[in-house]
Amino acid sequence: MTPADLASTVLTAARAVFVTRGLDVSLLPETTTVERPRNPEHGDYASTMAMQLGKKAGVPPRELAAALAEELSSRPGIKSVEIAGPGFLNIRLDAAAAGVLARDVVLAGAEYGHTDRLAGQRINLEFVSANPTGPVHIGGVRWAAVGDALSRLLRAAGADVGTEYYFNDAGSQIDRFARSLYAAAKGEPAPEDGYGGAYIAEIAQAVLGQAPGVLEEAEPQALETFRRIGVELMFAEIKQSLADFGVRFDTYFNEKDLHDRGELQEALDRLREQGHVFEADGATWLRTTDFGDDKDRVLRKSDGDWTYFAADCAYYLDKRKRGFDKVVIMLGADHHGYIGRMKAMAACFGDDPAATLEILIGQLVNLVRDGEPLRMSKRAGTVITLEDFVDALGVDATRYALARYSSDSPIDIDIDLWTRAKSDNPVYYVQYVAARSASVARQAAAVGLTRGEPGGFRPELLTHERENDLLKAIGEYPAVVGSAAELREPHRVARYLEELAGDYHRFFDKCRVTPMGDEEITDLHRARLWLNDATRTVIANGLGLLGVSAPERM
């Protein structure tokens, strides 16, 4: 019995009590939850249903709790129900009801933990979106790990998700990039406002390889060549480095397309229809202050050029036109001021920003060695890149380390910690359970121990305290996935996996799965093998949501 199954049983019992007593059943919630008590002596699960409903129904909570306890005690799988305090229900399951979860998890396989909690939601999730002027830097690496994990979580919770990378190839940064490549190709220093680093020289040489006569062209034509080919090469490299990191996007959206398709003008016309556009000082403005922004925003400058904000408006409208109910954008710490103007912009289009737009801000990351942050990249010169991260930690450790912490908290990633094969390394601690449980399964097969047919599974044999703890931890996984998706917090999955790993290690120490020597294989060995394999299933599923492997050997 999963916590969700038990919660449903509690709700069904409450309905029976209400009907029997002639109480208003419309007061009952559509769903409820049960929680694991902090003190295991208080039972397997606790419910506050009686306290939530007593006052509304005009019944003292303890009296209602007593009626619920009596009704629940008659339900299959419930061993006992005790009343505590003002009306807490402390519930104990019988061993068979608790243990059957092991079989259910194994049979569900990769689908275990998937829910319909966010079913019906169409979410556009944009993350990384680094300009193609250099390799993905340390801030983008964090969003690559967290954003990809979040996309997996949202899908596991039932949402229809489209992941998107937006790249700007139409602005002044690209002009500086082209000038930097041009200078490097001529053997000159980078412009004062240009880009440095070995990668600039590498790409400049690659452009020369594709357009050998470019330096003989007039400077405007040469710059356009370096711009066009350089952006293509840089963005291809960005896509490849992200793919090597396990991150692929459903859509790579080019800002230039917004200009070429006239979508900026379309957005302006739509905003004008809504009555929020005005002219001043020869420029075209959006009155975002009507919706809480600190100042109004220019859409089109007096010289006729569009602003970046105009492209933001067009891009948001484009996403909504594609049928997305909610637009989620992940941005770095230096974009906090972006939230107000974007929320106001959505309101100017006639949307409810609370429903259609969500902006997540990620804080800074330091890669640390010997207590000191690494500052310089061998290749990029001024920033730590995705390749630097992976070279230092590997893909699995990098992804796990970055997804393990709340994205709104600054973090230091200690190279020494995340690369050592010890239990204080969180990713090693969790992956070791994946490998150890796989090893147990191999040892079982070697001595002829199999789980047997599902119908022959005897869950009532799983009575050891450590077995019970492990089963309860496994049962929490779907709720963890659902809440992590709703709250946009993949770190909840990582922290859960570490707790589950601890429960498995304690189970492994006390409950032998395979027989020793000439010991006869029993149904208890088979039951424990189901539990061992269920744990591996959950560990693999959880690591998969974080984009981390579940090795069979370490």
Side-chain angles (χ1 to χ4, degrees):
M1 182 181 294
T2 67
D5 293 334
L6 178 58
S8 178
T9 299
V10 170
L11 191 57
T12 301
R15 179 174 293 277
V17 168
F18 269 52
V19 170
T20 300
R21 290 181 162 235
L23 302 175
D24 183 0
V25 294
S26 69
L27 296 174
L28 294 170
E30 292 185 6
T31 60
T32 188
T33 58
V34 294
E35 297 179 351
R36 286 174 65 180
R38 292 184 179 179
N39 186 347
E41 294 180 1
H42 293 166
D44 296 323
Y45 296 98
S47 170
T48 58
M49 176 72 81
M51 291 185 292
Q52 293 172 0
L53 297 177
K55 186 175 181 180
K56 294 179 182 178
V59 180
R62 277 193 67 92
E63 180 182 331
L64 183 57
L68 278 169
E70 182 179 358
E71 179 67 29
L72 277 169
S73 296
S74 67
R75 302 277 166 161
I78 306 294
K79 182 179 180 181
S80 66
V81 184
E82 298 172 357
I83 305 168
F88 287 101
L89 292 172
N90 290 333
I91 305 168
R92 287 182 171 82
L93 304 180
D94 64 38
V100 75
L101 178 63
R103 179 189 62 195
D104 293 346
V105 170
V106 173
L107 295 180
E111 292 300 307
Y112 180 67
H114 287 214
T115 70
D116 59 0
R117 202 154 166 172
L118 301 182
Q121 294 190 25
R122 286 207 69 206
I123 298 174
N124 180 282
L125 178 62
E126 180 198 340
F127 57 101
V128 183
S129 292
N131 289 328
T133 56
V136 178
H137 61 73
I138 194 167
V141 179
R142 184 174 199 177
W143 276 139
V146 175
D148 189 60
L150 180 55
S151 73
R152 296 166 188 244
L153 271 169
L154 293 171
R155 288 175 176 133
D160 179 3
V161 181
T163 58
E164 198 142 317
Y165 186 116
Y166 177 73
F167 65 98
N168 170 1
D169 61 352
S172 59
Q173 291 180 335
I174 303 297
D175 292 336
R176 297 201 303 272
F177 178 63
R179 292 199 306 272
S180 301
L181 295 176
Y182 186 50
K186 294 192 298 180
E188 298 174 355
E192 187 175 340
D193 62 347
Y195 296 93
Y199 78 95
I200 290 291
E202 293 171 10
I203 294 175
Q205 289 302 310
V207 174
L208 291 175
Q210 291 192 27
V214 63
L215 294 181
E216 298 171 12
E217 297 175 357
E219 183 170 318
Q221 288 75 28
L223 284 171
E224 179 55 33
T225 300
F226 276 102
R227 176 193 184 100
R228 176 177 54 81
I229 300 178
V231 166
E232 290 175 359
L233 291 169
M234 189 72 254
F235 195 61
E237 181 179 315
I238 289 172
K239 289 175 69 173
Q240 187 59 55
S241 64
L242 287 169
D244 293 342
F245 195 52
V247 178
R248 293 173 175 81
F249 291 85
D250 298 318
T251 301
Y252 294 91
F253 196 99
N254 187 331
E255 183 194 347
K256 189 172 181 294
D257 289 343
L258 293 172
H259 293 262
D260 293 345
R261 295 196 297 248
E263 292 193 49
L264 279 80
Q265 184 63 50
E266 180 184 347
L268 174 59
D269 293 343
R270 181 78 66 90
L271 292 166
R272 198 185 296 277
E273 289 171 7
Q274 295 289 328
H276 303 297
V277 173
F278 67 98
E279 310 293 328
D281 302 323
T284 303
W285 298 69
L286 184 63
R287 191 173 284 109
T288 53
T289 52
D290 285 351
F291 298 98
D293 195 6
D294 60 341
K295 61 182 180 181
D296 294 325
R297 304 289 170 175
V298 177
L299 294 171
R300 199 163 199 170
K301 295 182 285 187
S302 57
D303 63 4
D305 286 345
W306 295 101
T307 62
Y308 285 121
F309 183 64
D312 290 335
C313 295
Y315 188 35
Y316 171 81
L317 182 60
D318 184 275
K319 291 176 178 179
R320 296 284 286 128
K321 283 165 52 184
R322 283 185 271 146
F324 291 105
D325 308 311
K326 175 163 284 190
V327 173
V328 180
I329 307 173
M330 297 178 147
L331 298 171
D334 56 342
H335 285 76
H336 204 278
Y338 197 72
I339 298 175
R341 77 188 70 167
M342 289 296 288
K343 291 281 188 180
M345 173 267 290
C348 287
F349 275 119
D351 285 344
D352 175 5
T356 64
L357 180 62
E358 188 174 341
I359 298 177
L360 308 178
I361 300 294
Q363 294 300 320
L364 300 176
V365 182
N366 286 315
L367 190 59
V368 176
R369 173 175 281 146
D370 298 328
E372 295 294 327
L374 299 183
R375 299 292 186 193
M376 303 289 285
S377 167
K378 293 178 181 177
R379 185 159 179 264
T382 56
V383 294
I384 299 299
T385 68
L386 172 55
E387 287 77 9
D388 296 323
F389 243 116
V390 172
D391 287 347
L393 303 183
V395 171
D396 280 351
T398 298
R399 290 192 62 133
Y400 191 98
L402 292 170
R404 184 179 185 259
Y405 302 93
S406 174
S407 57
D408 60 6
S409 300
I411 53 173
D412 290 336
I413 304 298
D414 188 332
I415 295 174
D416 295 331
L417 169 65
W418 288 94
T419 53
R420 60 180 172 239
K422 292 186 178 180
S423 61
D424 61 345
N425 174 352
V427 70
Y428 177 84
Y429 186 65
V430 174
Q431 286 185 316
Y432 189 69
V433 172
R436 172 173 268 186
S437 56
S439 174
V440 167
R442 289 194 299 272
Q443 293 169 14
V447 297
L449 170 61
T450 66
R451 294 191 303 261
E453 293 299 318
F457 173 50
R458 296 188 58 193
E460 71 276 9
L461 298 177
L462 299 174
T463 58
H464 194 282
E465 178 183 2
R466 297 307 182 200
E467 294 165 344
N468 189 253
D469 289 343
L470 186 53
L471 284 163
K472 285 188 285 188
I474 288 171
E476 290 181 351
Y477 178 66
V480 170
V481 172
S483 61
E486 285 187 331
L487 297 171
R488 320 302 195 226
E489 295 181 340
H491 71 272
R492 290 174 176 266
V493 174
R495 298 308 175 104
Y496 163 81
L497 291 174
E498 290 163 34
E499 293 179 8
L500 177 61
D503 286 324
Y504 179 81
H505 288 309
R506 288 185 285 274
F507 158 77
F508 182 88
D509 290 341
K510 296 294 184 180
C511 303
R512 186 169 181 84
V513 176
T514 55
M516 295 184 65
D518 296 330
E519 183 183 357
E520 182 181 352
I521 294 174
T522 67
D523 286 339
L524 177 58
H525 292 122
R526 297 185 183 93
R528 285 177 172 170
L529 184 57
W530 278 99
L531 182 53
N532 174 83
D533 294 355
T535 306
R536 175 167 171 82
T537 297
V538 177
I539 290 286
N541 289 358
L543 287 173
L545 291 177
L546 302 179
V548 178
S549 68
E552 295 194 357
R553 290 178 170 83
M554 290 180 70

